[in-house]
Protein backbone atom coordinates (compact mmCIF):
# COMPACT_ATOMS: atom_id res chain seq x y z
CA UNK A 1 0.00 0.00 0.00
CA UNK A 2 2.87 2.35 0.82
CA UNK A 3 4.42 1.80 -2.64
CA UNK A 4 1.05 2.59 -4.28
CA UNK A 5 0.67 5.81 -2.22
CA UNK A 6 4.19 6.93 -3.13
CA UNK A 7 3.51 6.24 -6.82
CA UNK A 8 0.29 8.25 -6.73
CA UNK A 9 2.08 11.14 -4.98
CA UNK A 10 4.83 11.15 -7.62
CA UNK A 11 2.23 11.05 -10.41
CA UNK A 12 0.33 14.00 -8.87
CA UNK A 13 3.57 15.96 -8.50
CA UNK A 14 4.42 15.34 -12.16
CA UNK A 15 0.98 16.53 -13.25
CA UNK A 16 1.40 19.75 -11.23
CA UNK A 17 4.87 20.33 -12.66
CA UNK A 18 3.63 19.84 -16.21
CA UNK A 19 0.76 22.28 -15.63
CA UNK A 20 2.90 24.96 -13.94
CA UNK A 21 3.76 27.96 -16.10
CA UNK A 22 7.24 28.03 -17.60
CA UNK A 23 9.27 31.11 -16.76
CA UNK A 24 12.02 30.72 -19.35
CA UNK A 25 11.41 32.65 -22.56
CA UNK A 26 9.54 30.81 -25.26
CA UNK A 27 10.57 30.75 -28.89
CA UNK A 28 9.05 33.77 -30.57
CA UNK A 29 9.35 35.97 -27.48
CA UNK A 30 10.77 39.38 -28.20
CA UNK A 31 13.03 41.67 -26.22
CA UNK A 32 12.70 45.43 -26.48
CA UNK A 33 15.35 47.93 -25.42
CA UNK A 34 14.42 51.64 -25.36
CA UNK A 35 17.09 54.31 -24.95
CA UNK A 36 16.62 58.05 -24.73
CA UNK A 37 19.48 60.45 -25.36
CA UNK A 38 19.83 63.84 -23.69
CA UNK A 39 19.87 65.44 -27.15
CA UNK A 40 16.18 64.59 -27.54
CA UNK A 41 16.26 61.41 -29.60
CA UNK A 42 15.09 57.88 -28.90
CA UNK A 43 16.17 54.49 -30.21
CA UNK A 44 14.10 51.37 -29.59
CA UNK A 45 15.53 47.99 -30.55
CA UNK A 46 13.28 44.95 -30.81
CA UNK A 47 15.06 41.60 -31.12
CA UNK A 48 12.95 38.86 -32.68
CA UNK A 49 13.14 35.63 -34.63
CA UNK A 50 12.58 36.55 -38.32
CA UNK A 51 10.99 33.15 -38.97
CA UNK A 52 8.36 33.96 -36.34
CA UNK A 53 7.95 37.61 -37.31
CA UNK A 54 7.50 37.14 -41.07
CA UNK A 55 4.39 34.90 -40.96
CA UNK A 56 2.75 37.29 -38.46
CA UNK A 57 3.40 40.21 -40.79
CA UNK A 58 2.11 38.26 -43.80
CA UNK A 59 -1.09 37.33 -41.97
CA UNK A 60 -1.58 40.92 -40.76
CA UNK A 61 -1.13 42.11 -44.36
CA UNK A 62 -3.67 39.57 -45.63
CA UNK A 63 -1.00 37.75 -47.64
CA UNK A 64 -0.58 33.99 -47.92
CA UNK A 65 2.16 32.49 -45.76
CA UNK A 66 5.34 32.19 -47.78
CA UNK A 67 7.05 29.45 -45.77
CA UNK A 68 10.63 29.13 -44.59
CA UNK A 69 13.38 31.14 -46.29
CA UNK A 70 17.11 31.86 -46.01
CA UNK A 71 17.97 34.80 -43.74
CA UNK A 72 18.45 37.23 -46.65
CA UNK A 73 15.00 36.47 -48.04
CA UNK A 74 13.42 36.89 -44.59
CA UNK A 75 15.09 40.29 -44.35
CA UNK A 76 13.87 41.36 -47.80
CA UNK A 77 10.30 40.28 -47.05
CA UNK A 78 10.22 41.87 -43.57
CA UNK A 79 11.59 45.18 -44.91
CA UNK A 80 8.94 45.06 -47.68
CA UNK A 81 6.29 44.67 -44.94
CA UNK A 82 7.66 47.41 -42.68
CA UNK A 83 4.46 49.51 -43.01
CA UNK A 84 2.52 46.58 -41.56
CA UNK A 85 5.06 46.23 -38.75
CA UNK A 86 4.88 49.96 -37.99
CA UNK A 87 1.06 49.71 -37.85
CA UNK A 88 1.47 47.20 -34.99
CA UNK A 89 4.13 49.09 -33.04
CA UNK A 90 2.86 51.87 -30.80
CA UNK A 91 5.29 54.43 -29.43
CA UNK A 92 3.71 57.18 -27.35
CA UNK A 93 5.03 60.29 -25.69
CA UNK A 94 2.62 61.87 -23.20
CA UNK A 95 -0.09 59.58 -24.60
CA UNK A 96 0.37 60.78 -28.21
CA UNK A 97 1.46 58.23 -30.81
CA UNK A 98 4.53 59.04 -32.93
CA UNK A 99 5.76 57.45 -36.17
CA UNK A 100 9.36 56.25 -35.95
CA UNK A 101 12.01 55.59 -38.58
CA UNK A 102 12.54 51.86 -39.20
CA UNK A 103 15.72 49.86 -39.75
CA UNK A 104 16.23 46.08 -40.04
CA UNK A 105 19.53 44.70 -38.71
CA UNK A 106 20.25 40.96 -39.00
CA UNK A 107 22.14 39.53 -36.03
CA UNK A 108 24.80 37.03 -37.02
CA UNK A 109 25.63 35.42 -33.67
CA UNK A 110 22.51 33.29 -33.55
CA UNK A 111 19.88 33.57 -30.92
CA UNK A 112 18.17 31.74 -28.11
CA UNK A 113 14.99 33.42 -29.39
CA UNK A 114 14.61 31.03 -32.32
CA UNK A 115 14.98 27.41 -33.29
CA UNK A 116 16.94 28.35 -36.41
CA UNK A 117 19.52 30.45 -34.60
CA UNK A 118 18.42 33.44 -36.70
CA UNK A 119 17.70 36.70 -35.00
CA UNK A 120 17.13 40.22 -36.19
CA UNK A 121 16.89 43.64 -34.64
CA UNK A 122 14.14 45.97 -35.74
CA UNK A 123 15.23 49.47 -34.78
CA UNK A 124 12.71 52.27 -34.33
CA UNK A 125 14.10 55.78 -33.84
CA UNK A 126 13.16 59.42 -33.93
CA UNK A 127 12.93 62.68 -32.08
CA UNK A 128 11.39 62.89 -28.61
CA UNK A 129 8.71 65.59 -28.81
CA UNK A 130 9.75 68.79 -27.01
CA UNK A 131 8.87 68.81 -23.31
CA UNK A 132 7.69 65.17 -23.41
CA UNK A 133 7.45 63.76 -19.89
CA UNK A 134 6.46 60.12 -20.46
CA UNK A 135 6.97 57.25 -22.88
CA UNK A 136 4.93 54.08 -23.48
CA UNK A 137 5.37 51.11 -25.87
CA UNK A 138 3.25 48.28 -27.22
CA UNK A 139 3.51 45.72 -30.01
CA UNK A 140 0.34 43.94 -31.11
CA UNK A 141 1.73 41.03 -33.14
CA UNK A 142 2.96 39.07 -30.14
CA UNK A 143 1.00 36.37 -28.39
CA UNK A 144 3.21 35.78 -25.37
CA UNK A 145 5.20 37.81 -22.86
CA UNK A 146 7.90 40.26 -23.87
CA UNK A 147 10.63 42.00 -21.95
CA UNK A 148 11.05 45.77 -22.22
CA UNK A 149 14.18 47.45 -20.90
CA UNK A 150 14.26 51.23 -20.88
CA UNK A 151 17.06 53.68 -20.09
CA UNK A 152 15.80 57.25 -19.52
CA UNK A 153 18.06 60.22 -20.38
CA UNK A 154 21.04 60.40 -18.04
CA UNK A 155 20.19 57.15 -16.25
CA UNK A 156 22.82 54.46 -15.74
CA UNK A 157 20.49 51.60 -14.92
CA UNK A 158 17.84 50.13 -17.17
CA UNK A 159 14.29 49.72 -15.94
CA UNK A 160 12.57 46.43 -16.73
CA UNK A 161 8.93 45.60 -17.47
CA UNK A 162 7.37 42.31 -18.58
CA UNK A 163 4.43 42.81 -20.90
CA UNK A 164 1.79 40.20 -21.74
CA UNK A 165 0.79 39.89 -25.40
CA UNK A 166 -0.08 43.33 -26.77
CA UNK A 167 -0.23 45.04 -23.37
CA UNK A 168 0.96 48.66 -23.32
CA UNK A 169 3.89 49.37 -21.03
CA UNK A 170 3.51 51.46 -17.93
CA UNK A 171 4.47 55.06 -18.69
CA UNK A 172 8.17 55.70 -18.26
CA UNK A 173 8.80 59.06 -16.61
CA UNK A 174 11.48 60.62 -18.81
CA UNK A 175 12.30 63.33 -16.28
CA UNK A 176 12.75 61.26 -13.12
CA UNK A 177 14.26 58.10 -14.63
CA UNK A 178 11.63 55.90 -12.98
CA UNK A 179 8.47 54.06 -13.84
CA UNK A 180 5.55 55.55 -11.83
Amino acid sequence: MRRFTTGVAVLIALVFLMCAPAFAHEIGTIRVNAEFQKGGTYRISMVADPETLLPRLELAAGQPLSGSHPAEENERRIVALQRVLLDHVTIKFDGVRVTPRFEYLPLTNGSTYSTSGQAAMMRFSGEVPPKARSFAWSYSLIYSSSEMLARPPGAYAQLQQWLEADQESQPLNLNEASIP
Side-chain angles (χ1 to χ4, degrees), residues 7-161:
V8 170
V10 168
L11 182 60
I12 290 171
L14 285 173
V15 168
F16 277 111
L17 286 174
M18 291 183 345
C19 294
F23 292 102
H25 68 270
E26 73 176 64
I27 292 171
T29 298
I30 64 165
R31 184 180 65 227
V32 176
N33 187 19
E35 294 182 323
F36 304 89
Q37 287 75 39
K38 286 191 180 228
T41 60
Y42 68 91
R43 183 174 61 199
I44 301 166
S45 303
M46 180 177 86
V47 176
D49 175 2
E51 290 188 348
T52 302
L53 178 60
L54 180 57
R56 291 178 185 183
L57 291 173
E58 290 170 336
L59 287 173
Q63 297 179 1
L65 297 179
S66 60
S68 186
H69 305 286
E72 301 79 25
E73 182 64 13
N74 282 336
E75 176 179 356
R76 187 190 71 70
R77 289 173 180 269
I78 290 170
V79 169
L81 290 166
Q82 69 179 288
R83 276 277 124 231
V84 176
L85 177 61
L86 289 171
D87 286 345
H88 291 275
V89 166
T90 302
I91 299 169
K92 292 181 181 178
F93 290 96
D94 295 334
V96 178
R97 188 174 183 169
V98 298
T99 302
R101 289 183 293 279
F102 172 77
E103 185 179 7
Y104 181 97
L105 304 164
L107 301 176
T108 58
N109 294 337
S111 173
T112 59
Y113 284 81
S114 73
T115 56
S116 67
Q118 290 185 34
M121 179 183 300
M122 275 47 69
R123 183 170 288 155
F124 309 96
S125 60
E127 305 294 319
V128 175
K131 300 182 182 180
R133 296 184 325 259
S134 68
F135 158 80
W137 157 271
S138 69
Y139 171 62
S140 63
L141 288 178
I142 189 164
Y143 311 115
S144 61
S145 61
S146 64
E147 177 185 30
M148 187 187 83
L149 300 170
R151 185 186 318 273
Y156 294 105
Q158 289 185 319
L159 305 169
Q160 180 185 47
Q161 292 185 50

